[in-house]
Amino acid sequence: MKRIFTLCLSALLMTGHSRAQNADMTLNVDMASRGAEVPASMYGIFFEEINHAGDGGLYAEMLMNRSFEERVMPEGYKVVNGELVPPDVKNHLTGKSTLGRYRWGTDPYPGWELRKIGEAEAEATLVTEQPNFATAPTSMKIDISRMGNGVSLINKGYWGIALKQGESYKLRMFVRCTAGGGNMKVNLTDGGSRTLGGKSFKLKADGKWHEYKATLKATTTISTAQLAISLPAEGTYFFDYVSLFPKDTYKGRPNGMRKDVAAMIEGLQPAFIRWPGGCIVEGITLNNRVEWKKTLGDPASRQGQYDTWGYHNTYGFGYKEFLDFCEDTGAKGMYVCNVGIGCQARTGEACSDKEAEEYLQDALDAIEYAIGPTDSQWGARRAADGHPKPYPLAYVEIGNENSGPLYDRRFNMFYDAIKARYPQLTLISNHGLGGIGGARKTDMVDPHWYVAPEFFFKNAGIFDNHERGKYKVYVGEYACNQGVGGGNMLAALSEAAFITGMERNSDLVTMASYAPLFENRNDRAWPTNLIWMSNDAVVGRSSYYVQKMFAENRPSYNLNTDFTATAEEVEPFIEQEGYVGFGTWSTQTRFRNLTITDPQGNTVKADMTDPSQWATGLGSWQQKDGEYAQTGTENRTSLIWKNGKAGKGSVIEFEVNKTSGAEGFLFYFGLTDPSLKKGWMLNVGGWGNVETAIENLFDNNSTVASARIKDSLDSGQWHKVRIVITDHGADYYMDGRLTLSHKNEPLKRKFCIAGYDSNSNEIIVKVVNASDRRCTTRINLLNGDVEPEGRVITLSAESKRDENSFEQPFRISPVESTFSGFARSFSYDFKPNSLTILRIKKK
């Protein structure tokens, strides 16, 4: 076969020589080859309650804080200066406590307002007396001592209630009246006096809880509506679970999803859905992790939980809703269980090995609920909940982003027990590409990447030579989210380049999911997300359409493909002068004698006795005798010199003395402003004081840009540091010795893969052109013949900095066209900043 390939290629190159001379790229595809199968499991989604992804997003509930439980904090937590502080627990990796602070706010009952008109006198308080549901005991008590011109309880929804004219909305609420009573009006309003639909209820003043339901029909389209409950008379009223749902939910489910948002998920044709996360699996501490059993039953009985991402999770989109959604979208389910470890990036709390047995049983119960027989305890509960058939649960991830010896031990414990009972399930570990440590065996590993675009361009081949045979790879979280705005075309193209590497290596990488999935435009807790929502609109980023195009054009198997392209230009290292400064990572260090010499030989020295010249970020910085010392243990501290800048050709010099700590030091340069938003960082003695590298900074995160060389920094003596910024890189000297020399290499911007779709008998060619220039390509289809007419799907942008928006949601979206020039050898011009898919019918 290889001999035939070579002969055909030679003939084609001879006949097309003159045309190929002008090509920017030559692409050869062997149509007779058969590479790795691209499994149906390849492209899925990862859901986590972050950025109000569910509550106020995918989940169709329209009222915020419907059960009045939003101000219930996890046990052991407290509020300090308006922020939530968890209990002081030790991180199982370091043995030290990490006290973070988390969003809380001052509003006593978020989403609600007690409106008193005229001389009215009334008071609202949250109480737990005589609860309607013992599992969600909080209710709103309203005492009205004087009616005046009226008293109303108002809910403003999730940044407004979005109504559509003529559409119906289902109201459900519980009210207990001990004194007062009469006709209570519930209206949808425009926020003022205009009523947009409503219902009147006759209240029973018998001191008991009563459920009231109605269907409200909207008389107009508006996104800023409110729900107003007008109380009838002086007296005492208790409210619990005031809920409003659109009647028309996705697949008609009563506790269902928003149709427009769910349709965006459906458009991705997800092979699997991962739930519930993400960091919320672990919790800040273990007692605010997601507990699946508490998400079952009547939504009114669910208390919910303070979410790791800074707001209340109602548990409305619970375990059953997740499994139903998998079924509704045709996806397999992936459940992520907790192994008794809290979020290692927050507190790293860990339970005892004995207590871990309870976490294991909880995981087994979750699996039993999904796929167990109906005569088992939790299978019977599933049947009682209206679903006797097993759900499509196929994967269980054991832990989330856990690591270390304790995790490995817990993983073995969970793996053995789950595999023994459910051998058909694929079990996934949190390990990356560096091996599985103390774990004995795993079905899959789950590496994560949140990076700058350069990383994905440079690492599209990261799987090419990875060891096969031990386990498969699930890339469970990945995104380009550094230096790309809210998510521009450059990010999307870098991800497309990386996906070509995953699909090309589909014998190893069999599953992938972008993260995070959703962002409500009113609450961005994570910098870059796939789908944006407001209460009345949903927008797919350019990255969304990259995901969609790959999922819709997944071949049955790969074809042997090779290509050559003209060399890319070397990009400048620093385009303009930037600020410089010192930093540390869990280390105590002294600095002095900072100078910058420009290309003309002019030297300026920093005044290290004048605090006004310095901008301090994180860290405990002390100034004394012409030195600055960092005495704390914080990570990525910073002290930025505001009066000096360095650019191409500059020489930076200073002295450093490490006094104690785990690593060496950091030095920042090329900063766009006196922060760590964008620039470069020399990391000396990083990774436990064993390596040194130059890293790229974006939004206080960093990505390694240079080689990582073996290097360390000793303590107790002064060292002289010299950094020379060159045209395309930087050189680092320690005590006169060149230690690290970095130069930007041409960054690859063109990527190609091809496969065969056995269902449609089509060759599928995917080409990423992430350059600013049109790419004329000679494509040679070898060992077969094709029809001249086929389809072309193109995603492109005028500039790689372009983004979609709520105002222009389809600014960057796929365009399909017909092409009649397909042949065994043909030319095609790929647009600048584009992902293009050619679908070519094979004869």
Side-chain angles (χ1 to χ4, degrees):
M1 186 63 72
K2 186 178 291 185
R3 188 174 182 181
I4 295 172
F5 181 94
T6 304
L7 289 172
C8 291
L9 176 58
S10 299
L12 283 169
L13 291 179
M14 289 175 64
T15 59
H17 180 69
S18 61
R19 287 176 291 179
Q21 279 184 321
N22 299 319
D24 302 304
M25 183 167 68
T26 301
L27 170 62
N28 305 309
V29 179
D30 183 1
M31 295 189 292
S33 63
R34 187 182 180 104
E37 291 187 3
V38 183
S41 62
M42 190 72 192
Y43 300 112
I45 62 169
F46 161 47
F47 178 87
E48 181 171 18
E49 186 58 81
I50 179 175
N51 308 308
H52 276 279
D55 291 327
L58 174 64
Y59 183 51
E61 173 62 70
M62 305 176 80
L63 302 185
M64 180 184 286
N65 196 12
R66 64 186 181 185
S67 290
F68 304 98
E69 302 286 346
E70 191 139 335
R71 280 293 173 254
V72 177
M73 67 180 70
E75 184 180 352
Y77 285 59
K78 60 184 177 181
V79 176
V80 179
N81 296 325
E83 294 179 304
L84 192 65
V85 180
D88 190 354
V89 297
K90 289 185 178 180
N91 188 299
H92 75 92
L93 290 174
T94 66
K96 300 177 181 179
S97 62
T98 305
L99 279 180
R101 291 172 179 261
Y102 303 90
R103 287 192 302 172
W104 187 250
T106 57
D107 189 340
Y109 28 82
W112 293 96
E113 173 192 341
L114 183 63
R115 188 169 296 172
K116 297 169 283 188
I117 305 173
E119 300 297 320
E121 294 181 5
E123 183 180 4
T125 54
L126 299 177
V127 298
T128 57
E129 61 191 62
Q130 295 184 18
N132 186 23
F133 295 97
T135 51
T138 308
S139 62
M140 171 77 84
K141 177 183 179 182
I142 298 178
D143 281 310
I144 303 175
S145 56
R146 179 184 294 181
M147 280 299 297
N149 292 331
V151 176
S152 297
L153 183 60
I154 309 294
N155 190 289
K156 301 176 183 179
Y158 289 97
W159 301 281
I161 298 173
L163 305 175
K164 290 183 180 179
Q165 184 176 3
E167 295 288 315
S168 295
Y169 301 89
K170 298 173 72 174
L171 174 72
R172 183 188 181 205
M173 60 195 301
F174 292 88
V175 183
R176 183 166 70 90
C177 182
T178 58
N183 289 322
M184 180 182 70
K185 295 180 180 179
V186 181
N187 291 322
L188 297 169
T189 76
D190 64 354
S193 59
R194 186 181 172 200
T195 298
L196 310 176
K199 178 76 173 179
S200 181
F201 299 93
K202 178 68 174 178
L203 294 181
K204 298 177 181 179
D206 58 2
K208 298 179 181 179
W209 286 105
H210 294 280
E211 183 178 13
Y212 300 90
K213 292 182 177 181
T215 298
L216 310 181
K217 194 169 185 178
T219 59
T220 191
T221 297
I222 186 175
S223 64
T224 55
Q226 298 179 0
L227 183 84
I229 303 172
S230 298
L231 297 171
E234 295 169 0
T236 303
Y237 305 85
F238 297 83
F239 291 87
D240 187 28
Y241 190 75
V242 184
S243 171
L244 186 71
F245 263 83
K247 184 178 181 180
D248 190 17
T249 58
Y250 181 66
K251 303 292 185 181
R253 291 195 179 271
N255 189 49
M257 307 300 118
R258 236 177 82 176
K259 281 186 72 174
D260 58 343
V261 180
M264 292 292 283
I265 297 301
E266 191 177 72
L268 292 174
Q269 301 180 8
F272 63 89
I273 299 175
R274 173 179 167 182
W275 182 94
C279 293
I280 69 171
V281 170
E282 309 147 87
I284 300 169
T285 53
L286 288 171
N287 64 349
N288 88 301
R289 72 191 188 279
V290 171
E291 298 184 65
W292 72 271
K293 289 172 183 173
K294 294 181 179 179
T295 75
L296 299 180
D298 187 340
S301 69
R302 306 177 194 178
Q303 184 179 49
Q305 179 61 269
Y306 177 79
D307 190 86
T308 301
W309 296 106
Y311 58 92
H312 187 75
N313 180 348
T314 67
Y315 281 175
F317 184 47
Y319 188 48
K320 182 181 186 299
E321 287 76 23
F322 148 66
L323 293 168
D324 286 336
F325 193 56
C326 289
E327 204 165 64
D328 290 344
T329 55
K332 301 292 186 183
M334 180 190 298
Y335 173 64
V336 188
C337 65
N338 187 302
V339 297
I341 297 176
C343 180
Q344 292 180 184
R346 291 174 171 85
T347 64
E349 180 188 14
C351 72
S352 68
D353 287 350
K354 180 64 177 175
E355 291 169 324
E357 295 175 5
E358 298 176 15
Y359 287 79
L360 172 57
Q361 186 59 53
D362 192 63
L364 291 169
D365 292 345
I367 299 168
E368 185 174 276
Y369 181 89
I371 61 175
T374 54
D375 60 358
S376 65
Q377 178 186 354
W378 290 100
R381 174 62 188 270
R382 180 188 72 243
D385 288 343
H387 201 285
K389 288 177 56 179
Y391 280 110
L393 183 73
Y395 312 95
V396 174
E397 181 151 8
I398 300 173
N400 173 73
E401 291 188 342
N402 298 143
S403 61
L406 175 63
Y407 171 69
D408 290 347
R409 191 167 71 247
R410 296 276 171 86
F411 177 82
N412 290 333
M413 171 185 173
F414 277 61
Y415 183 93
D416 293 345
I418 296 172
K419 206 68 171 178
R421 193 174 299 183
Y422 301 100
Q424 74 274 28
L425 293 178
T426 297
L427 305 185
I428 306 167
S429 79
N430 298 165
H431 300 94
L433 298 184
I436 61 174
R440 290 189 297 271
K441 182 181 180 182
T442 184
D443 301 338
M444 301 188 85
V445 296
D446 178 13
H448 295 175
W449 286 285
Y450 294 107
V451 296
E454 291 78 12
F455 178 92
F456 281 149
F457 287 132
K458 291 178 180 178
N459 289 277
I462 196 170
F463 304 107
D464 290 350
N465 300 309
H466 192 76
E467 182 181 14
R468 264 68 168 170
K470 290 187 176 180
Y471 42 73
K472 301 294 185 181
V473 173
Y474 161 47
V475 182
E477 298 182 36
Y478 72 99
C480 175
N481 67 349
Q482 298 181 20
V484 291
N488 57 29
M489 188 62 173
L490 176 60
L493 291 172
S494 74
E495 291 155 2
F498 194 69
I499 296 171
T500 65
M502 292 194 286
E503 191 169 289
R504 183 176 61 252
N505 290 278
S506 56
D507 62 317
L508 174 70
V509 183
T510 59
M511 300 171 68
S513 52
Y514 182 102
L517 181 65
F518 287 122
E519 168 196 317
N520 187 301
R521 70 184 303 181
N522 297 285
D523 185 23
R524 176 187 287 176
W526 191 264
T528 309
N529 308 283
L530 194 66
I531 299 170
W532 301 335
M533 304 168 293
S534 63
N535 63 4
D536 65 343
V538 58
V539 176
R541 283 181 43 227
S542 48
S543 290
Y544 169 84
Y545 292 108
V546 165
Q547 298 285 327
K548 192 172 190 291
M549 288 170 68
F550 272 89
E552 289 177 339
N553 296 279
R554 178 183 60 83
S556 304
Y557 57 83
N558 287 307
L559 297 174
N560 290 343
T561 306
D562 70 78
F563 70 96
T564 57
T566 54
E568 303 286 354
E569 296 179 358
V570 179
E571 298 186 356
F573 184 66
I574 292 181
E575 298 183 14
Q576 58 188 14
E577 290 187 332
Y579 294 92
V580 303
F582 306 113
T584 59
W585 188 282
S586 190
T587 302
Q588 297 75 52
T589 310
R590 299 157 63 191
F591 300 94
R592 70 185 185 191
N593 295 333
L594 171 63
T595 64
I596 297 176
T597 302
D598 67 21
Q600 290 73 42
N602 304 308
T603 299
V604 58
K605 183 175 182 179
D607 187 346
M608 301 187 74
T609 65
D610 181 4
S612 68
Q613 291 193 17
W614 300 88
T616 56
L618 190 65
S620 304
W621 293 95
Q622 297 180 2
Q623 189 277 326
K624 183 180 180 181
D625 299 332
E627 299 177 9
Y628 264 102
Q630 210 298 106
T631 59
T633 59
E634 300 91 342
N635 294 337
R636 193 171 280 133
T637 66
S638 65
L639 177 73
I640 308 303
W641 184 26
K642 297 187 292 185
N643 291 26
K645 292 184 178 182
K648 185 173 65 175
S650 295
V651 178
I652 305 166
E653 296 176 288
F654 60 91
E655 293 178 73
V656 60
N657 187 335
K658 173 183 172 180
T659 55
S660 61
E663 306 209 347
F665 68 90
L666 309 174
F667 188 81
Y668 308 108
F669 59 100
L671 299 175
T672 54
D673 57 58
S675 71
L676 306 185
K677 188 173 183 180
K678 185 178 181 181
W680 298 89
M681 178 179 79
L682 173 66
N683 185 353
V684 175
W687 299 277
N689 201 22
V690 295
E691 291 182 318
T692 290
I694 292 173
E695 300 186 60
N696 199 230
L697 278 170
F698 286 107
D699 295 328
N700 203 33
N701 291 303
S702 60
T703 303
V704 175
S706 72
R708 282 169 56 167
I709 63 165
K710 296 294 182 183
D711 187 37
S712 62
L713 184 70
D714 54 11
S715 303
Q717 61 178 304
W718 286 101
H719 297 277
K720 293 184 177 181
V721 176
R722 188 169 185 253
I723 301 170
V724 180
I725 302 175
T726 62
D727 285 357
H728 298 292
D731 296 331
Y732 156 59
Y733 297 80
M734 170 66 80
D735 295 329
R737 177 178 60 89
L738 179 61
T739 303
L740 173 64
S741 183
H742 169 68
K743 182 178 180 180
N744 278 354
E745 297 179 356
L747 188 63
K748 187 178 177 183
R749 295 280 187 174
K750 299 177 181 68
F751 304 83
C752 310
I753 55 171
Y756 176 69
D757 186 341
S758 57
N759 294 317
S760 63
N761 192 32
E762 288 177 299
I763 307 299
I764 302 175
V765 179
K766 301 185 179 84
V767 177
V768 178
N769 177 22
S771 71
D772 293 325
R773 299 175 182 173
R774 184 177 296 271
C775 180
T776 300
T777 302
R778 190 70 188 172
I779 301 176
N780 302 309
L781 302 175
L782 310 173
N783 297 321
D785 206 354
V786 298
E787 300 287 352
E789 186 172 291
R791 292 186 292 147
V792 178
I793 305 112
T794 304
L795 184 75
S796 64
E798 292 182 8
S799 166
K800 59 174 60 75
R801 300 293 174 184
D802 287 350
E803 298 185 28
N804 287 343
S805 64
F806 283 93
E807 294 71 31
Q808 294 180 290
F810 303 110
R811 182 183 186 184
I812 305 171
S813 56
V815 175
E816 184 169 327
S817 60
T818 300
F819 182 71
S820 301
F822 292 131
R824 283 180 290 177
S825 182
F826 65 97
S827 288
Y828 193 88
D829 287 346
F830 293 97
K831 288 186 174 183
N833 305 311
S834 67
L835 164 64
T836 305
I837 297 177
L838 310 178
R839 296 198 65 119
I840 308 167
K841 203 79 172 178
K842 189 177 180 182
K843 283 186 177 179

